[in-house]
Amino acid sequence: MDVRAQLSTVFHLDKCIGCHTCSLACKNLWTSRDGTEYMWWNNVETKPGTGYPTQWEDQAKYRGGWELHGKSLKPRLGHRLGILTNLFFNPYLPTLDEYYEPWTYKYDLLFNAPLGDDQPTARPVSKITGSYMDVEAGPNWDDDLSGSSVYGRNDPDLSSLSEAEQQALFKLEQMVFFYIPRICNHCLNPACVAVCPSGAIYKRAEDGVVLISQEKCRGWRFCVSGCPYKKSYYNYKAGKSEKCILCYPRVETGQAPACFHSCVGRIRYIGVLLYDADRIEEVAKTPEHGLVEAQRSLILDPKDPAVISAAKKNGIADDMILAAQKSPVYQFVKVWNLALPLHSEFRTLPMLYYVPPLLPVLATVKDGNYNLAESDFFGTIDNMRVPVKYMARLFSAGNEEIIKGVLKKLLAVRVHQQANSAGLISQQKAQAMLQEAGCTAAEAEDIARMTSLPRYGDRFVLPPYHREVSIEVETEPIKQKGKAGFGVSRSPQRGL
Amino acid sequence: MSWIQDINNPKQRLWEDFYRNRWQYDKVVRSTHGVNCTGGCSWQVFVKNGIITWEMQALDYPDFEKQIPPYEPRGCQRGISFSWYIYSPIRVKYPYIRGVLLDEWRTAKQRDSDPVKAWKSLVENKGIRTEYQQARGKGGFRRSTWDEALEIVSASMLYTAKKYGPDRVAGFSPIPAMSYLSYGGGSRLLQLFGGVNLSFYDWYSDLPPASPEIWGEQTDVQESADWYHAKYIVSMGANLNMTRTPDVHFISEARYQGAKFTVLSPDFSQVAKYADWWIPVNAGQDGAFWMAVNHVILKEFYIERQVPSFTDYVTKFTDSPFLVVLNKKGNNYEAGPFLRAKSVARYSNIENGDWRFLIFDKKSKNPRMPKGAVGDRWAKQPGKWNLELKDGVDNSDLDPLLSFIDDKDDVAQVEFTDFDALTVFKRGVPVKYVETSQGKVATTTVFDLLVARFGLSRGLPGDYPSAYEDTSTYTPAWQEKLTGISADTVVKFAREFAGTAEKTGGKCTITIGAGINHWYHNNLIYRAAISALMLTGCIGKNGGGLAHYVGQEKLAAVAPWSSIAFATDWVAPPRLQNAPSFYYMHTDQWRYEGPFTNYQRQPGANALASGHTADMQARAVRLGWLPFYPQFDKNSFELVEEAKKAGAKTDEELVNYTVNQLKERKLKFAVEDPDAPECWPRMWLIWRGNALMSSAKGHEYFLKHFLGTHTNINADEVAKDTVNDVTWHDQSPRGKLDLMVDINFRMDTTALYSDIVLPTAVWYEKDDLNSTDLHTFIHPLSEAVPPAWEAKSDWDIFKAIASKISEMAPGYFDQPVKEIVAIPLQHDTIDEIAQPEVKDWTKGECNPIPGKTMPHLRVVERDYVNLYKRFISFGPMARQNGIGAHGIRWGIRDDYDELVRSSPTQEWNGAKYPSLEEPQQAANVILNLAPETNGDVAYRAYEEEEHKVGLPLKDLAESGRGVKHSFADLQAQPARLLNSPCWSGIINNGRTYSPFCINTERLVPWRTLTGRQQFYHDHQVYLAFGENLPAYKPNPNPTVFGDFVKSKPDDKSIMLNYLTPHGKWHIHSTYFDNELMLTLSRGLEPFWMSEEDARKIDVKDNDWVEIYNDHGVVVTRAVISARIPKGTCMLYHSPERTISVPKSPLRGNRRAGGHNSLTRVRLKPVLMAGGYAQFTYAFNYWGPTGVNRDTYILVRKLEGKPVW
């Protein structure tokens, strides 16, 4: 058992309001510089939709993640040695159009236009060329089902649905959409690390955060292709790639990452998971149907004495273990089995977990009138709007039972709370539903509490980072105290 | 996976400082976003090297009780993008003046160095005036200086006051709650000057008229945390994700406490995603849905089975048991007025006997008069204005009979109107006869009328539906054809809704918004939904009630703030104008329509309910129902001089002279001749808002008549032979405004069209106060960095104008000078009992008596020389008269004197005043005097209210005594508000705010006719319009509404209902032009349409389209989406003409417009009713609203490429 600590996260999609505040918190801090304008380390996507960059989930096109070749696991893009021969040619990179061409406007015209016979207006101009441009794509182009005929209907995840099921999704009685906010998954088996020719990408030992060294990066952009989530981006001004850093400067000082702090839907949780690094390869090779279960099995019980002892042997500090024991992420992922990895079939073992959303009840149309009268008080998982099959494509590598299990439990929690607080659903029915979901009343109440009442400190349980210990390897902390911040700011040197 | 190395060695990781250095800053300052957003979120603003680099949400709201989710974090995508504006290329950095005007000004100044004379020579030159008016919006700005700009503004104000009167200077600024003093600076200047403040809440159509109708309250709603208590939540016309972004988490959290969430919305909106049930009621038909819900509730929860908590509630807290007179009409009856107490022998001599009402007492078997009516509120002897069910004379207990069904003298056939089918039918109603001074009259209860109205026969004869399947009014089957929702669904919904209320003691909440409130008949849709809440006892409960959130932002510390903002500490009354009436008349939109009965058809003609809306408006002004400025066709300074010449000496004589002049029609109300040059507004001052685009319904009419610049209207002026009381001029005016000034931090549409643009501080550059109805905290805006470039805070700008006026006044207004201010009958004053009947003095039906049968006429004194000194000093009238709100007023002498002793002061003319020079000083005066932030003041204010109500209340302030917050305290941490009698919730001990708890728990009456929540309105105008009872009225038909007289459908276009809901990437137009928001959307404000409609006109996603009707044209790109139902379209409120708008081939290749280019405002005349209990005027409280959702448009693919 090789116990390691990973700072992991849960996004509760049933609470997500699709507001993109998270995206902007990140943008303000990290990607408002020249060369980074088009980057959205945190973005929010509407499903069904094609996302950003468009159709990123289509690995036949982008070649991200891993694939099983018999018994061996290989990056879809080819292994590091193999791709070195292709250093200057990577046909699987998203083009600027597949992201979008960043733009601004001729705002100054509103002040400077000479008196004319009509009103001036500020036209869009490209931030790259400075010329007038037609805006044809953006980082959130299919928000809220906009352009559904072009985007929603071409969601790669719809491929598992029959033609009729796909059509139905865009009919009034069955239509649905929901949001998926995405950041770097800080995977346990990150393909970006595997394919980087420069060895610039690494996982931090203390928290598993995946970083691209801005010193070592030479801008080969294989990480951009290799990441199946398209969460590594090329800074065209600096000539280096950059990605979500899980706000380590904030995390190291006990503050949640900016996108977590600012999540006004209160959907985000962060905490430490302990896992067994010895089993990564084995788990990553599990057949699709069993992938989610296998990934869960990798996560260790932080209160298990054997795990604690192995963790200490690996140099994991006591307070890190304590943080793991208090981790809300552990509750959602491992205890309650409610949070699932996105596209585990990419086999990178992503450490960002999603609680899938409950969605409105399906209606029927009777005599031309919209009808909900057949529905239960809350509906059932069989008459919710999104097909379980679609959800399974996203969150359980196609395993529908796992999705059903989660949704049943979420619904049972709500039914239990309704029976207890209002009584429009009987206690008897509530008990039956809890039983079917394999959930006790106490667990249901815990889930309800952690879903609705958590304060900042309940949602975000960060380990203490002993920065003084890291710093003293290079310089005495007492000296650092005196010299921190001195120096003249300079831009990083261009890569290559 | 041996190749994946974790790196531990810090030496290999020194580069990590690259990102650490970014996360460093020099200081963090608390501020927020100061206009038009209900969020009221506290933010941390980060400053690095003197530059604001980013903002993050503050998290330190004091906590509630632990069983409520906390408010952290608050702040949305828009708020967090704000810092972009500060140094952006759209920031107004310097004063700008249009070159045409500037050149003429400089020339004029050379001619005459006296600025007022220079302005006169310029503006009275028709050629020059027309030239710069026509240049409005067409570029040619030049950078100027503050000195120059202030001189022009002040010269124009003084010239206008001298030539036409100060009430020709009108100012517009939106909702003050988000930045109390930024609003208050401008309003204070205007009111000291004698100018006019234009309302916003009703003009935005954010005011729900149903709220004053039913509750006598502008709006009072639960804070969002209170939703968490609800067990059934319905959202209608409110897209909580979009518009309540920081609050919507309480919905999802309530769901995990067992609440059901149902969304009524025609499109699969963002909030529908959250729902258990999404019910796609056809756009604008929610009223029909709720009428049928009420039918089911009455049948199953009142008639087939009685729920004691429901009947008890409606008996105590609504007008249900009150007696209504049934008037004979042919062989039938019609519902008439409430039976007056004075009409029965027992109460014949009682004070205010026209204003006290009767129930039928079960015990004494007689009509009896409970306490709590408006007549008790304004009685000479206070202490009976409460909701105890006790006789108003002898205090004996009363037990009202809710219905006469089991104890009736007779059954009367009462006529009711089906406004959809345009038929009148009759239904049997149980009756008791009452002996009155006018003889025996048939009466019934409001409840019995309701039951009949909703169509439940209870075995009585008449045109009643027999079952739910019957399609007459108002059954579940009846609503199907209107809503598209099956009857079964309505029945199930009603059972679950009322069932929840029954089981939980009223924990059903309806969140409601602009999607409902912007329809022409919004008040009726609201009344239908509120009826369901009243019938199930959900109002005045935590977790229950109507949560109306449309631009309603609660200015918590209202009492001291109003005193400062409207300058009543120096001079009263202020001139407060309901903007819908002002704009309807002054932008000449009234000229483009005929009688309102063209599109609001109803059977039976009635003088009170027919004709032209402009005539209704003129009537409302002369009867004292609504304000109108300019008030007269004469300068009010001159009027006083004239009166003096005619011998008037005292103020009373000045007023009498004016009344006689009016009576003899020698003096006219300006509203009666709005197009005469002497009746035009001359100066329009805009700050904190986008008056010309976001809210300007009929934007193109503003351009044409108000501004006098180019326009894309294609419509005829048709009112000529249809107006009687309003004078028609064959030639309509172009360009009424002499000067348009915008104070702004960004170059928005309004700024672009203004003559002068003054650069103002952004919200991170100034000190101010912020509160909202969505939470119960008050917190500050703070100056993180000084106002950038040449910007100044609003407070300082208005101070500078005040100073300039005082400097320039000598020679024009050397001495204090008197004028006459006309104001309408006021809500929350004794005016509420002024007019028991509608009588028109101009028709000889009564005498003109100011404050009774006509507007109040008050003599006031302006002091322009000392205007600046007054501005910066908290004046003596506040000390003398006390302060108050909502009908409660208390003395502040001790507090005032303490302020003089312990705070900064101003000393002049031998007196010392608390200083208002700096915004923090003004903020501290407010915080010191507000019951919401000073516990001892709250205690005193409750004492006053106890006196009126006659029941104990001051215990509510006990726990907060000694609490007192200063501005610096708020900068350290937001403070929770204290209980206050200015508001109706009870919030101590961490309890969430829900309105009207003080009414249900402490028996304080609602501020209405009966003191109860009103199902029934017996104002004669309401009776005439058939809106005495809840009703369904169909939306005006687009073909008769006047959108398509000139513009006709063809095979390239399609006609759609045009909806302008609130959008995701902006708060109105703020943030719209923000590069970050534009990047996350489509780079402009697109036009949303359904896949099916788009196919019909061959429009593909992101194609350019042209959208038009007679009013104007919009050119933008289409978004095609499955979530939009066919037949409707959306253009989210509110785009700017400044960003990415091409020209329109359809309208001569002129620049296309914004969303309001497709609208023209129609006012609903019933909402002009006044002079009667809750139907009395208050600013932003009463009057017709600027509805626009009944608009239709044609859309077609843009021909060729867009032309810029």
Side-chain angles (χ1 to χ4, degrees), chain B residues 57-78:
Chain B
Q57 294 109 323
L59 305 172
D60 54 352
Y61 304 90
D63 219 346
F64 287 109
E65 49 171 310
K66 287 289 177 194
Q67 288 314 304
I68 304 288
Y71 270 113
E72 53 84 5
R74 292 185 67 81
C76 70
Q77 70 273 30
R78 289 150 290 216

Side-chain angles (χ1 to χ4, degrees), chain B residues 482-728:
Chain B
L482 300 164
T483 64
I485 306 302
S486 78
D488 294 355
T489 305
V490 172
V491 173
K492 191 172 167 78
F493 172 88
R495 285 174 186 157
E496 288 184 355
F497 183 88
T500 301
E502 182 181 359
K503 282 199 182 333
T504 61
K507 294 193 183 300
C508 297
T509 294
I510 301 173
T511 63
I512 191 167
I516 305 297
N517 206 41
H518 289 187
W519 295 95
Y520 187 80
H521 289 303
N522 67 69
N523 63 321
L524 292 174
I525 309 178
Y526 268 64
R527 281 175 73 187
I530 296 169
S531 293
L533 289 168
M534 292 198 281
L535 289 172
T536 55
C538 291
I539 294 159
K541 305 285 175 70
N542 283 109
L546 185 86
H548 161 93
Y549 304 112
V550 197
Q552 205 277 332
E553 286 126 29
K554 178 170 173 172
L555 197 137
V558 61
W561 172 82
S562 323
S563 184
I564 291 175
F566 298 123
T568 53
D569 56 332
W570 284 106
V571 57
R575 287 195 167 103
L576 304 175
Q577 170 71 47
N578 69 316
S581 299
F582 182 89
Y583 290 132
Y584 175 72
M585 299 304 291
H586 285 313
T587 65
D588 282 319
Q589 297 188 54
W590 63 275
R591 294 176 65 96
Y592 294 81
E593 67 172 351
F596 61 84
T597 34
N598 285 356
Y599 51 81
Q600 193 195 345
R601 291 179 303 150
Q602 52 190 81
N606 185 316
L608 285 174
S610 60
H612 195 285
T613 306
D615 284 344
M616 299 285 113
Q617 173 64 40
R619 176 182 72 189
V621 173
R622 65 179 186 262
L623 301 199
W625 297 354
L626 290 178
F628 197 85
Y629 305 109
Q631 56 198 25
F632 305 129
D633 60 354
K634 185 171 282 178
N635 186 336
S636 46
F637 289 129
E638 274 175 28
L639 184 63
V640 167
E641 289 308 310
E642 201 182 273
K644 282 181 180 165
K645 271 182 207 145
K649 288 193 180 63
T650 65
D651 286 358
E652 197 187 339
E653 286 163 355
L654 293 174
V655 169
N656 287 343
Y657 175 83
T658 308
V659 171
N660 283 327
Q661 290 288 301
L662 283 166
K663 190 177 177 183
E664 291 163 21
R665 309 310 281 157
K666 289 179 186 158
L667 179 68
K668 284 211 284 196
F669 291 107
V671 69
E672 295 170 317
D673 192 1
D675 289 342
E678 64 273 18
C679 297
W680 299 348
R682 292 290 174 161
M683 192 171 151
W684 197 23
L685 180 62
I686 297 145
W687 74 107
R688 297 166 71 254
N690 191 356
L692 189 62
M693 189 72 259
S694 291
S695 61
K697 285 109 197 199
H699 165 82
E700 300 288 337
Y701 301 89
F702 277 68
L703 296 184
K704 181 176 177 183
H705 300 291
F706 217 39
L707 271 64
T709 185
H710 76 263
T711 173
N712 291 325
I713 298 171
N714 181 24
D716 291 332
E717 301 176 27
V718 298
K720 184 173 183 180
D721 297 316
T722 65
V723 283
N724 295 316
D725 298 351
V726 171
T727 305
W728 177 264

